[in-house]
Amino acid sequence: MNQNVIIFIIELLGTFAFAISGIRHAAAKRFDWFGGYVCGIAVAIGGGTIRDVMLLTTPFWMTTPIYIICTAVALLMVAFFGRWMEPLKNAWFVFDTLGLALFTIAGIQKSLDFGQPFWVAIIMGCITGSAGGVIRDVLLNNEPVIFQKEIYAMASVVGGLVYWAGILLGMSVEFTVVLSFITTCVIRFLAVRYHISLPILKNETE
């Protein structure tokens, strides 16, 4: 499969997953449909936009309206099927994790496609996966999740390192993508399930 096609599919899936997450967060704050859409589109395209600006290329969502339409579909799903989604405990968390993993991979692949070294690609993957959530949390007046005790951005970094290792070992791109995706999701799920976190900084008075 063509590299650009793989990136497009991953970005589309990531857009939908992140849009669902952002819209559900907005629904919890009792935003109206427009507010929900703004939160959904912000989290869906925020990280990728920052990545593309840093790569000096046209932001991915400006090349086709499919990402805007995808977010609209996510809004309609939450609006009309929210009552059936609500019993799914922590559904927003699942979608957020899927979006993190998918956009991490998209960020890495696109950065490599632009000739960036792997260490830059991993950072770009982390930005692509995490920055949208920061924008969402700022809009919702919440503490950004990457600054909390939960492992979030680090799951993205580890997923990127697994991607790098897979390429160095000569694995196929398809298998490497799947392995990186599973790694990022598993780390995030286990961190939340078993309350695994990084050490907390303490000031001198504590």
mmCIF file with all atom_site columns, all heavy atoms in Angstrom, residues 176-201:
data_model
loop_
_atom_site.group_PDB
_atom_site.id
_atom_site.type_symbol
_atom_site.label_atom_id
_atom_site.label_alt_id
_atom_site.label_comp_id
_atom_site.label_asym_id
_atom_site.label_entity_id
_atom_site.label_seq_id
_atom_site.pdbx_PDB_ins_code
_atom_site.Cartn_x
_atom_site.Cartn_y
_atom_site.Cartn_z
_atom_site.occupancy
_atom_site.B_iso_or_equiv
_atom_site.pdbx_formal_charge
_atom_site.auth_seq_id
_atom_site.auth_comp_id
_atom_site.auth_asym_id
_atom_site.auth_atom_id
_atom_site.pdbx_PDB_model_num
ATOM 1   N N   . THR A 1 176 ? 4.892  -2.804 11.514 1.00 0.00 ? 176 THR A N   1
ATOM 2   C CA  . THR A 1 176 ? 5.439  -1.822 12.447 1.00 0.00 ? 176 THR A CA  1
ATOM 3   C C   . THR A 1 176 ? 4.356  -0.868 12.938 1.00 0.00 ? 176 THR A C   1
ATOM 4   O O   . THR A 1 176 ? 4.316  -0.514 14.124 1.00 0.00 ? 176 THR A O   1
ATOM 5   C CB  . THR A 1 176 ? 6.564  -1.010 11.762 1.00 0.00 ? 176 THR A CB  1
ATOM 6   O OG1 . THR A 1 176 ? 7.574  -1.905 11.306 1.00 0.00 ? 176 THR A OG1 1
ATOM 7   C CG2 . THR A 1 176 ? 7.177  -0.023 12.737 1.00 0.00 ? 176 THR A CG2 1
ATOM 8   N N   . VAL A 1 177 ? 3.471  -0.452 12.028 1.00 0.00 ? 177 VAL A N   1
ATOM 9   C CA  . VAL A 1 177 ? 2.362  0.424  12.401 1.00 0.00 ? 177 VAL A CA  1
ATOM 10  C C   . VAL A 1 177 ? 1.464  -0.246 13.431 1.00 0.00 ? 177 VAL A C   1
ATOM 11  O O   . VAL A 1 177 ? 1.100  0.355  14.451 1.00 0.00 ? 177 VAL A O   1
ATOM 12  C CB  . VAL A 1 177 ? 1.542  0.809  11.149 1.00 0.00 ? 177 VAL A CB  1
ATOM 13  C CG1 . VAL A 1 177 ? 0.188  1.393  11.542 1.00 0.00 ? 177 VAL A CG1 1
ATOM 14  C CG2 . VAL A 1 177 ? 2.302  1.817  10.303 1.00 0.00 ? 177 VAL A CG2 1
ATOM 15  N N   . VAL A 1 178 ? 1.114  -1.496 13.187 1.00 0.00 ? 178 VAL A N   1
ATOM 16  C CA  . VAL A 1 178 ? 0.249  -2.238 14.115 1.00 0.00 ? 178 VAL A CA  1
ATOM 17  C C   . VAL A 1 178 ? 0.933  -2.393 15.470 1.00 0.00 ? 178 VAL A C   1
ATOM 18  O O   . VAL A 1 178 ? 0.309  -2.194 16.525 1.00 0.00 ? 178 VAL A O   1
ATOM 19  C CB  . VAL A 1 178 ? -0.113 -3.623 13.536 1.00 0.00 ? 178 VAL A CB  1
ATOM 20  C CG1 . VAL A 1 178 ? -0.844 -4.461 14.581 1.00 0.00 ? 178 VAL A CG1 1
ATOM 21  C CG2 . VAL A 1 178 ? -0.975 -3.473 12.297 1.00 0.00 ? 178 VAL A CG2 1
ATOM 22  N N   . LEU A 1 179 ? 2.218  -2.722 15.469 1.00 0.00 ? 179 LEU A N   1
ATOM 23  C CA  . LEU A 1 179 ? 2.959  -2.916 16.709 1.00 0.00 ? 179 LEU A CA  1
ATOM 24  C C   . LEU A 1 179 ? 3.050  -1.623 17.511 1.00 0.00 ? 179 LEU A C   1
ATOM 25  O O   . LEU A 1 179 ? 2.859  -1.614 18.741 1.00 0.00 ? 179 LEU A O   1
ATOM 26  C CB  . LEU A 1 179 ? 4.358  -3.437 16.393 1.00 0.00 ? 179 LEU A CB  1
ATOM 27  C CG  . LEU A 1 179 ? 5.217  -3.882 17.581 1.00 0.00 ? 179 LEU A CG  1
ATOM 28  C CD1 . LEU A 1 179 ? 4.537  -5.026 18.324 1.00 0.00 ? 179 LEU A CD1 1
ATOM 29  C CD2 . LEU A 1 179 ? 6.602  -4.300 17.099 1.00 0.00 ? 179 LEU A CD2 1
ATOM 30  N N   . SER A 1 180 ? 3.325  -0.517 16.829 1.00 0.00 ? 180 SER A N   1
ATOM 31  C CA  . SER A 1 180 ? 3.401  0.782  17.500 1.00 0.00 ? 180 SER A CA  1
ATOM 32  C C   . SER A 1 180 ? 2.044  1.188  18.059 1.00 0.00 ? 180 SER A C   1
ATOM 33  O O   . SER A 1 180 ? 1.949  1.708  19.182 1.00 0.00 ? 180 SER A O   1
ATOM 34  C CB  . SER A 1 180 ? 3.901  1.837  16.512 1.00 0.00 ? 180 SER A CB  1
ATOM 35  O OG  . SER A 1 180 ? 3.935  3.115  17.101 1.00 0.00 ? 180 SER A OG  1
ATOM 36  N N   . PHE A 1 181 ? 0.986  0.948  17.278 1.00 0.00 ? 181 PHE A N   1
ATOM 37  C CA  . PHE A 1 181 ? -0.377 1.272  17.723 1.00 0.00 ? 181 PHE A CA  1
ATOM 38  C C   . PHE A 1 181 ? -0.737 0.497  18.988 1.00 0.00 ? 181 PHE A C   1
ATOM 39  O O   . PHE A 1 181 ? -1.222 1.075  19.981 1.00 0.00 ? 181 PHE A O   1
ATOM 40  C CB  . PHE A 1 181 ? -1.367 0.937  16.608 1.00 0.00 ? 181 PHE A CB  1
ATOM 41  C CG  . PHE A 1 181 ? -2.817 1.084  16.989 1.00 0.00 ? 181 PHE A CG  1
ATOM 42  C CD1 . PHE A 1 181 ? -3.428 2.321  16.965 1.00 0.00 ? 181 PHE A CD1 1
ATOM 43  C CD2 . PHE A 1 181 ? -3.558 -0.020 17.392 1.00 0.00 ? 181 PHE A CD2 1
ATOM 44  C CE1 . PHE A 1 181 ? -4.759 2.467  17.330 1.00 0.00 ? 181 PHE A CE1 1
ATOM 45  C CE2 . PHE A 1 181 ? -4.883 0.108  17.748 1.00 0.00 ? 181 PHE A CE2 1
ATOM 46  C CZ  . PHE A 1 181 ? -5.487 1.356  17.719 1.00 0.00 ? 181 PHE A CZ  1
ATOM 47  N N   . ILE A 1 182 ? -0.489 -0.802 18.981 1.00 0.00 ? 182 ILE A N   1
ATOM 48  C CA  . ILE A 1 182 ? -0.824 -1.634 20.137 1.00 0.00 ? 182 ILE A CA  1
ATOM 49  C C   . ILE A 1 182 ? -0.016 -1.215 21.358 1.00 0.00 ? 182 ILE A C   1
ATOM 50  O O   . ILE A 1 182 ? -0.540 -1.134 22.470 1.00 0.00 ? 182 ILE A O   1
ATOM 51  C CB  . ILE A 1 182 ? -0.578 -3.122 19.812 1.00 0.00 ? 182 ILE A CB  1
ATOM 52  C CG1 . ILE A 1 182 ? -1.574 -3.603 18.753 1.00 0.00 ? 182 ILE A CG1 1
ATOM 53  C CG2 . ILE A 1 182 ? -0.691 -3.981 21.075 1.00 0.00 ? 182 ILE A CG2 1
ATOM 54  C CD1 . ILE A 1 182 ? -1.322 -5.025 18.283 1.00 0.00 ? 182 ILE A CD1 1
ATOM 55  N N   . THR A 1 183 ? 1.262  -0.919 21.156 1.00 0.00 ? 183 THR A N   1
ATOM 56  C CA  . THR A 1 183 ? 2.126  -0.516 22.271 1.00 0.00 ? 183 THR A CA  1
ATOM 57  C C   . THR A 1 183 ? 1.620  0.754  22.942 1.00 0.00 ? 183 THR A C   1
ATOM 58  O O   . THR A 1 183 ? 1.512  0.833  24.169 1.00 0.00 ? 183 THR A O   1
ATOM 59  C CB  . THR A 1 183 ? 3.566  -0.290 21.776 1.00 0.00 ? 183 THR A CB  1
ATOM 60  O OG1 . THR A 1 183 ? 4.081  -1.506 21.222 1.00 0.00 ? 183 THR A OG1 1
ATOM 61  C CG2 . THR A 1 183 ? 4.465  0.156  22.930 1.00 0.00 ? 183 THR A CG2 1
ATOM 62  N N   . THR A 1 184 ? 1.301  1.755  22.122 1.00 0.00 ? 184 THR A N   1
ATOM 63  C CA  . THR A 1 184 ? 0.817  3.030  22.668 1.00 0.00 ? 184 THR A CA  1
ATOM 64  C C   . THR A 1 184 ? -0.481 2.831  23.446 1.00 0.00 ? 184 THR A C   1
ATOM 65  O O   . THR A 1 184 ? -0.633 3.351  24.560 1.00 0.00 ? 184 THR A O   1
ATOM 66  C CB  . THR A 1 184 ? 0.591  4.044  21.536 1.00 0.00 ? 184 THR A CB  1
ATOM 67  O OG1 . THR A 1 184 ? 1.795  4.207  20.784 1.00 0.00 ? 184 THR A OG1 1
ATOM 68  C CG2 . THR A 1 184 ? 0.161  5.395  22.096 1.00 0.00 ? 184 THR A CG2 1
ATOM 69  N N   . CYS A 1 185 ? -1.410 2.062  22.878 1.00 0.00 ? 185 CYS A N   1
ATOM 70  C CA  . CYS A 1 185 ? -2.700 1.826  23.542 1.00 0.00 ? 185 CYS A CA  1
ATOM 71  C C   . CYS A 1 185 ? -2.528 1.041  24.837 1.00 0.00 ? 185 CYS A C   1
ATOM 72  O O   . CYS A 1 185 ? -3.119 1.387  25.871 1.00 0.00 ? 185 CYS A O   1
ATOM 73  C CB  . CYS A 1 185 ? -3.646 1.079  22.606 1.00 0.00 ? 185 CYS A CB  1
ATOM 74  S SG  . CYS A 1 185 ? -4.250 2.057  21.219 1.00 0.00 ? 185 CYS A SG  1
ATOM 75  N N   . VAL A 1 186 ? -1.724 -0.009 24.796 1.00 0.00 ? 186 VAL A N   1
ATOM 76  C CA  . VAL A 1 186 ? -1.541 -0.860 25.977 1.00 0.00 ? 186 VAL A CA  1
ATOM 77  C C   . VAL A 1 186 ? -0.909 -0.077 27.124 1.00 0.00 ? 186 VAL A C   1
ATOM 78  O O   . VAL A 1 186 ? -1.335 -0.179 28.281 1.00 0.00 ? 186 VAL A O   1
ATOM 79  C CB  . VAL A 1 186 ? -0.689 -2.096 25.629 1.00 0.00 ? 186 VAL A CB  1
ATOM 80  C CG1 . VAL A 1 186 ? -0.243 -2.824 26.898 1.00 0.00 ? 186 VAL A CG1 1
ATOM 81  C CG2 . VAL A 1 186 ? -1.479 -3.053 24.739 1.00 0.00 ? 186 VAL A CG2 1
ATOM 82  N N   . ILE A 1 187 ? 0.116  0.727  26.811 1.00 0.00 ? 187 ILE A N   1
ATOM 83  C CA  . ILE A 1 187 ? 0.758  1.530  27.856 1.00 0.00 ? 187 ILE A CA  1
ATOM 84  C C   . ILE A 1 187 ? -0.236 2.486  28.487 1.00 0.00 ? 187 ILE A C   1
ATOM 85  O O   . ILE A 1 187 ? -0.299 2.629  29.715 1.00 0.00 ? 187 ILE A O   1
ATOM 86  C CB  . ILE A 1 187 ? 1.956  2.311  27.271 1.00 0.00 ? 187 ILE A CB  1
ATOM 87  C CG1 . ILE A 1 187 ? 3.086  1.345  26.925 1.00 0.00 ? 187 ILE A CG1 1
ATOM 88  C CG2 . ILE A 1 187 ? 2.447  3.366  28.269 1.00 0.00 ? 187 ILE A CG2 1
ATOM 89  C CD1 . ILE A 1 187 ? 4.256  2.015  26.245 1.00 0.00 ? 187 ILE A CD1 1
ATOM 90  N N   . ARG A 1 188 ? -1.029 3.132  27.664 1.00 0.00 ? 188 ARG A N   1
ATOM 91  C CA  . ARG A 1 188 ? -2.027 4.092  28.175 1.00 0.00 ? 188 ARG A CA  1
ATOM 92  C C   . ARG A 1 188 ? -3.086 3.391  29.018 1.00 0.00 ? 188 ARG A C   1
ATOM 93  O O   . ARG A 1 188 ? -3.429 3.848  30.108 1.00 0.00 ? 188 ARG A O   1
ATOM 94  C CB  . ARG A 1 188 ? -2.679 4.805  26.991 1.00 0.00 ? 188 ARG A CB  1
ATOM 95  C CG  . ARG A 1 188 ? -3.780 5.789  27.371 1.00 0.00 ? 188 ARG A CG  1
ATOM 96  C CD  . ARG A 1 188 ? -3.239 7.092  27.848 1.00 0.00 ? 188 ARG A CD  1
ATOM 97  N NE  . ARG A 1 188 ? -4.324 8.039  28.057 1.00 0.00 ? 188 ARG A NE  1
ATOM 98  C CZ  . ARG A 1 188 ? -4.573 8.656  29.193 1.00 0.00 ? 188 ARG A CZ  1
ATOM 99  N NH1 . ARG A 1 188 ? -3.813 8.454  30.249 1.00 0.00 ? 188 ARG A NH1 1
ATOM 100 N NH2 . ARG A 1 188 ? -5.568 9.507  29.291 1.00 0.00 ? 188 ARG A NH2 1
ATOM 101 N N   . PHE A 1 189 ? -3.595 2.263  28.536 1.00 0.00 ? 189 PHE A N   1
ATOM 102 C CA  . PHE A 1 189 ? -4.617 1.518  29.274 1.00 0.00 ? 189 PHE A CA  1
ATOM 103 C C   . PHE A 1 189 ? -4.072 1.003  30.612 1.00 0.00 ? 189 PHE A C   1
ATOM 104 O O   . PHE A 1 189 ? -4.727 1.129  31.653 1.00 0.00 ? 189 PHE A O   1
ATOM 105 C CB  . PHE A 1 189 ? -5.132 0.344  28.445 1.00 0.00 ? 189 PHE A CB  1
ATOM 106 C CG  . PHE A 1 189 ? -5.999 0.743  27.283 1.00 0.00 ? 189 PHE A CG  1
ATOM 107 C CD1 . PHE A 1 189 ? -5.932 0.050  26.081 1.00 0.00 ? 189 PHE A CD1 1
ATOM 108 C CD2 . PHE A 1 189 ? -6.870 1.814  27.379 1.00 0.00 ? 189 PHE A CD2 1
ATOM 109 C CE1 . PHE A 1 189 ? -6.727 0.410  25.005 1.00 0.00 ? 189 PHE A CE1 1
ATOM 110 C CE2 . PHE A 1 189 ? -7.668 2.188  26.303 1.00 0.00 ? 189 PHE A CE2 1
ATOM 111 C CZ  . PHE A 1 189 ? -7.590 1.487  25.117 1.00 0.00 ? 189 PHE A CZ  1
ATOM 112 N N   . LEU A 1 190 ? -2.871 0.419  30.592 1.00 0.00 ? 190 LEU A N   1
ATOM 113 C CA  . LEU A 1 190 ? -2.289 -0.127 31.821 1.00 0.00 ? 190 LEU A CA  1
ATOM 114 C C   . LEU A 1 190 ? -1.963 0.975  32.828 1.00 0.00 ? 190 LEU A C   1
ATOM 115 O O   . LEU A 1 190 ? -2.143 0.796  34.035 1.00 0.00 ? 190 LEU A O   1
ATOM 116 C CB  . LEU A 1 190 ? -1.020 -0.924 31.498 1.00 0.00 ? 190 LEU A CB  1
ATOM 117 C CG  . LEU A 1 190 ? -1.217 -2.239 30.731 1.00 0.00 ? 190 LEU A CG  1
ATOM 118 C CD1 . LEU A 1 190 ? 0.129  -2.897 30.451 1.00 0.00 ? 190 LEU A CD1 1
ATOM 119 C CD2 . LEU A 1 190 ? -2.107 -3.196 31.522 1.00 0.00 ? 190 LEU A CD2 1
ATOM 120 N N   . ALA A 1 191 ? -1.491 2.115  32.316 1.00 0.00 ? 191 ALA A N   1
ATOM 121 C CA  . ALA A 1 191 ? -1.148 3.225  33.207 1.00 0.00 ? 191 ALA A CA  1
ATOM 122 C C   . ALA A 1 191 ? -2.361 3.713  33.971 1.00 0.00 ? 191 ALA A C   1
ATOM 123 O O   . ALA A 1 191 ? -2.297 4.006  35.172 1.00 0.00 ? 191 ALA A O   1
ATOM 124 C CB  . ALA A 1 191 ? -0.535 4.363  32.398 1.00 0.00 ? 191 ALA A CB  1
ATOM 125 N N   . VAL A 1 192 ? -3.505 3.798  33.278 1.00 0.00 ? 192 VAL A N   1
ATOM 126 C CA  . VAL A 1 192 ? -4.730 4.259  33.932 1.00 0.00 ? 192 VAL A CA  1
ATOM 127 C C   . VAL A 1 192 ? -5.315 3.160  34.825 1.00 0.00 ? 192 VAL A C   1
ATOM 128 O O   . VAL A 1 192 ? -5.759 3.415  35.940 1.00 0.00 ? 192 VAL A O   1
ATOM 129 C CB  . VAL A 1 192 ? -5.759 4.706  32.876 1.00 0.00 ? 192 VAL A CB  1
ATOM 130 C CG1 . VAL A 1 192 ? -7.104 5.010  33.520 1.00 0.00 ? 192 VAL A CG1 1
ATOM 131 C CG2 . VAL A 1 192 ? -5.250 5.936  32.139 1.00 0.00 ? 192 VAL A CG2 1
ATOM 132 N N   . ARG A 1 193 ? -5.274 1.923  34.324 1.00 0.00 ? 193 ARG A N   1
ATOM 133 C CA  . ARG A 1 193 ? -5.860 0.806  35.087 1.00 0.00 ? 193 ARG A CA  1
ATOM 134 C C   . ARG A 1 193 ? -5.140 0.581  36.405 1.00 0.00 ? 193 ARG A C   1
ATOM 135 O O   . ARG A 1 193 ? -5.765 0.335  37.453 1.00 0.00 ? 193 ARG A O   1
ATOM 136 C CB  . ARG A 1 193 ? -5.810 -0.470 34.226 1.00 0.00 ? 193 ARG A CB  1
ATOM 137 C CG  . ARG A 1 193 ? -6.259 -1.740 34.963 1.00 0.00 ? 193 ARG A CG  1
ATOM 138 C CD  . ARG A 1 193 ? -7.729 -1.661 35.348 1.00 0.00 ? 193 ARG A CD  1
ATOM 139 N NE  . ARG A 1 193 ? -8.183 -2.859 36.020 1.00 0.00 ? 193 ARG A NE  1
ATOM 140 C CZ  . ARG A 1 193 ? -7.994 -3.156 37.299 1.00 0.00 ? 193 ARG A CZ  1
ATOM 141 N NH1 . ARG A 1 193 ? -7.370 -2.272 38.074 1.00 0.00 ? 193 ARG A NH1 1
ATOM 142 N NH2 . ARG A 1 193 ? -8.447 -4.286 37.814 1.00 0.00 ? 193 ARG A NH2 1
ATOM 143 N N   . TYR A 1 194 ? -3.813 0.668  36.391 1.00 0.00 ? 194 TYR A N   1
ATOM 144 C CA  . TYR A 1 194 ? -3.030 0.370  37.589 1.00 0.00 ? 194 TYR A CA  1
ATOM 145 C C   . TYR A 1 194 ? -2.399 1.618  38.203 1.00 0.00 ? 194 TYR A C   1
ATOM 146 O O   . TYR A 1 194 ? -1.497 1.525  39.034 1.00 0.00 ? 194 TYR A O   1
ATOM 147 C CB  . TYR A 1 194 ? -1.937 -0.651 37.256 1.00 0.00 ? 194 TYR A CB  1
ATOM 148 C CG  . TYR A 1 194 ? -2.502 -1.991 36.856 1.00 0.00 ? 194 TYR A CG  1
ATOM 149 C CD1 . TYR A 1 194 ? -2.530 -2.382 35.516 1.00 0.00 ? 194 TYR A CD1 1
ATOM 150 C CD2 . TYR A 1 194 ? -3.034 -2.866 37.797 1.00 0.00 ? 194 TYR A CD2 1
ATOM 151 C CE1 . TYR A 1 194 ? -3.070 -3.611 35.137 1.00 0.00 ? 194 TYR A CE1 1
ATOM 152 C CE2 . TYR A 1 194 ? -3.571 -4.089 37.430 1.00 0.00 ? 194 TYR A CE2 1
ATOM 153 C CZ  . TYR A 1 194 ? -3.586 -4.448 36.099 1.00 0.00 ? 194 TYR A CZ  1
ATOM 154 O OH  . TYR A 1 194 ? -4.125 -5.665 35.727 1.00 0.00 ? 194 TYR A OH  1
ATOM 155 N N   . HIS A 1 195 ? -2.858 2.787  37.784 1.00 0.00 ? 195 HIS A N   1
ATOM 156 C CA  . HIS A 1 195 ? -2.431 4.070  38.361 1.00 0.00 ? 195 HIS A CA  1
ATOM 157 C C   . HIS A 1 195 ? -0.908 4.229  38.301 1.00 0.00 ? 195 HIS A C   1
ATOM 158 O O   . HIS A 1 195 ? -0.269 4.629  39.277 1.00 0.00 ? 195 HIS A O   1
ATOM 159 C CB  . HIS A 1 195 ? -2.920 4.196  39.799 1.00 0.00 ? 195 HIS A CB  1
ATOM 160 C CG  . HIS A 1 195 ? -4.398 3.991  39.952 1.00 0.00 ? 195 HIS A CG  1
ATOM 161 N ND1 . HIS A 1 195 ? -5.328 4.900  39.521 1.00 0.00 ? 195 HIS A ND1 1
ATOM 162 C CD2 . HIS A 1 195 ? -5.113 2.948  40.481 1.00 0.00 ? 195 HIS A CD2 1
ATOM 163 C CE1 . HIS A 1 195 ? -6.555 4.444  39.770 1.00 0.00 ? 195 HIS A CE1 1
ATOM 164 N NE2 . HIS A 1 195 ? -6.447 3.260  40.352 1.00 0.00 ? 195 HIS A NE2 1
ATOM 165 N N   . ILE A 1 196 ? -0.349 3.895  37.146 1.00 0.00 ? 196 ILE A N   1
ATOM 166 C CA  . ILE A 1 196 ? 1.092  4.046  36.935 1.00 0.00 ? 196 ILE A CA  1
ATOM 167 C C   . ILE A 1 196 ? 1.360  5.471  36.464 1.00 0.00 ? 196 ILE A C   1
ATOM 168 O O   . ILE A 1 196 ? 0.686  5.974  35.562 1.00 0.00 ? 196 ILE A O   1
ATOM 169 C CB  . ILE A 1 196 ? 1.596  3.041  35.884 1.00 0.00 ? 196 ILE A CB  1
ATOM 170 C CG1 . ILE A 1 196 ? 1.272  1.617  36.333 1.00 0.00 ? 196 ILE A CG1 1
ATOM 171 C CG2 . ILE A 1 196 ? 3.094  3.209  35.662 1.00 0.00 ? 196 ILE A CG2 1
ATOM 172 C CD1 . ILE A 1 196 ? 1.548  0.573  35.261 1.00 0.00 ? 196 ILE A CD1 1
ATOM 173 N N   . SER A 1 197 ? 2.321  6.123  37.074 1.00 0.00 ? 197 SER A N   1
ATOM 174 C CA  . SER A 1 197 ? 2.614  7.503  36.692 1.00 0.00 ? 197 SER A CA  1
ATOM 175 C C   . SER A 1 197 ? 4.097  7.779  36.851 1.00 0.00 ? 197 SER A C   1
ATOM 176 O O   . SER A 1 197 ? 4.837  7.020  37.494 1.00 0.00 ? 197 SER A O   1
ATOM 177 C CB  . SER A 1 197 ? 1.804  8.491  37.553 1.00 0.00 ? 197 SER A CB  1
ATOM 178 O OG  . SER A 1 197 ? 2.161  8.361  38.919 1.00 0.00 ? 197 SER A OG  1
ATOM 179 N N   . LEU A 1 198 ? 4.524  8.881  36.252 1.00 0.00 ? 198 LEU A N   1
ATOM 180 C CA  . LEU A 1 198 ? 5.903  9.325  36.407 1.00 0.00 ? 198 LEU A CA  1
ATOM 181 C C   . LEU A 1 198 ? 6.067  10.000 37.765 1.00 0.00 ? 198 LEU A C   1
ATOM 182 O O   . LEU A 1 198 ? 5.082  10.441 38.376 1.00 0.00 ? 198 LEU A O   1
ATOM 183 C CB  . LEU A 1 198 ? 6.257  10.313 35.294 1.00 0.00 ? 198 LEU A CB  1
ATOM 184 C CG  . LEU A 1 198 ? 6.218  9.759  33.860 1.00 0.00 ? 198 LEU A CG  1
ATOM 185 C CD1 . LEU A 1 198 ? 6.467  10.893 32.872 1.00 0.00 ? 198 LEU A CD1 1
ATOM 186 C CD2 . LEU A 1 198 ? 7.236  8.662  33.678 1.00 0.00 ? 198 LEU A CD2 1
ATOM 187 N N   . PRO A 1 199 ? 7.299  10.073 38.276 1.00 0.00 ? 199 PRO A N   1
ATOM 188 C CA  . PRO A 1 199 ? 7.524  10.749 39.569 1.00 0.00 ? 199 PRO A CA  1
ATOM 189 C C   . PRO A 1 199 ? 7.048  12.200 39.521 1.00 0.00 ? 199 PRO A C   1
ATOM 190 O O   . PRO A 1 199 ? 7.159  12.873 38.497 1.00 0.00 ? 199 PRO A O   1
ATOM 191 C CB  . PRO A 1 199 ? 9.037  10.657 39.745 1.00 0.00 ? 199 PRO A CB  1
ATOM 192 C CG  . PRO A 1 199 ? 9.466  9.490  38.921 1.00 0.00 ? 199 PRO A CG  1
ATOM 193 C CD  . PRO A 1 199 ? 8.539  9.489  37.724 1.00 0.00 ? 199 PRO A CD  1
ATOM 194 N N   . ILE A 1 200 ? 6.521  12.660 40.626 1.00 0.00 ? 200 ILE A N   1
ATOM 195 C CA  . ILE A 1 200 ? 6.005  14.033 40.725 1.00 0.00 ? 200 ILE A CA  1
ATOM 196 C C   . ILE A 1 200 ? 7.098  14.968 41.211 1.00 0.00 ? 200 ILE A C   1
ATOM 197 O O   . ILE A 1 200 ? 7.827  14.645 42.152 1.00 0.00 ? 200 ILE A O   1
ATOM 198 C CB  . ILE A 1 200 ? 4.800  14.087 41.694 1.00 0.00 ? 200 ILE A CB  1
ATOM 199 C CG1 . ILE A 1 200 ? 3.661  13.173 41.177 1.00 0.00 ? 200 ILE A CG1 1
ATOM 200 C CG2 . ILE A 1 200 ? 4.309  15.519 41.855 1.00 0.00 ? 200 ILE A CG2 1
ATOM 201 C CD1 . ILE A 1 200 ? 2.520  13.074 42.151 1.00 0.00 ? 200 ILE A CD1 1
ATOM 202 N N   . LEU A 1 201 ? 7.214  16.117 40.552 1.00 0.00 ? 201 LEU A N   1
ATOM 203 C CA  . LEU A 1 201 ? 8.167  17.119 41.004 1.00 0.00 ? 201 LEU A CA  1
ATOM 204 C C   . LEU A 1 201 ? 7.709  17.729 42.333 1.00 0.00 ? 201 LEU A C   1
ATOM 205 O O   . LEU A 1 201 ? 6.516  17.987 42.529 1.00 0.00 ? 201 LEU A O   1
ATOM 206 C CB  . LEU A 1 201 ? 8.293  18.230 39.953 1.00 0.00 ? 201 LEU A CB  1
ATOM 207 C CG  . LEU A 1 201 ? 9.053  17.879 38.668 1.00 0.00 ? 201 LEU A CG  1
ATOM 208 C CD1 . LEU A 1 201 ? 8.945  19.036 37.686 1.00 0.00 ? 201 LEU A CD1 1
ATOM 209 C CD2 . LEU A 1 201 ? 10.515 17.582 38.973 1.00 0.00 ? 201 LEU A CD2 1
#
